[in-house]
Amino acid sequence: MVLFMVERDYADALEVDAEGAASIIAVNDDVGVRWVYSFLSADKRKSYCLYEADSEEAILEAARRNNIPADVIVRVDQVRPDTLLAGR
């Protein structure tokens, strides 16, 4: 699996409860996408979500099925400061 960062813009403030999150995860599982982590802007109108997926197309399909935007999708690699410092 590859890591992707997804940026989403919401017209209204985003409010997701446990039931909504479970529904999103179920759809993602069906498509083969794993939601790893998200950051939500202070105004709750933009999110930045880290996903594992085989392709950008899988993320787009999950977003379509979940009826949520996927405005920007960027393939990323993980860089951890503690790993970099361990090599000193």
Side-chain angles (χ1 to χ4, degrees), residues 34-71:
R34 187 171 86 84
W35 176 16
V36 178
Y37 205 86
S38 290
F39 294 93
L40 187 59
S41 63
D43 65 2
K44 298 184 179 182
R45 291 177 165 274
K46 190 173 273 200
S47 67
Y48 301 89
C49 305
L50 185 64
Y51 285 90
E52 289 180 336
D54 288 329
S55 67
E56 183 176 327
E57 291 76 20
I59 291 172
L60 286 169
E61 177 62 17
R64 185 189 66 74
R65 290 188 191 185
N66 281 312
N67 197 33
I68 56 177
D71 300 300

Side-chain angles (χ1 to χ4, degrees), residues 2-3 9 21 23 47 51-52 78 80 86-87:
V2 179
L3 288 174
D9 291 307
S23 177
S47 67
Y51 285 90
E52 289 180 336
Q78 184 176 16
R80 296 180 50 140

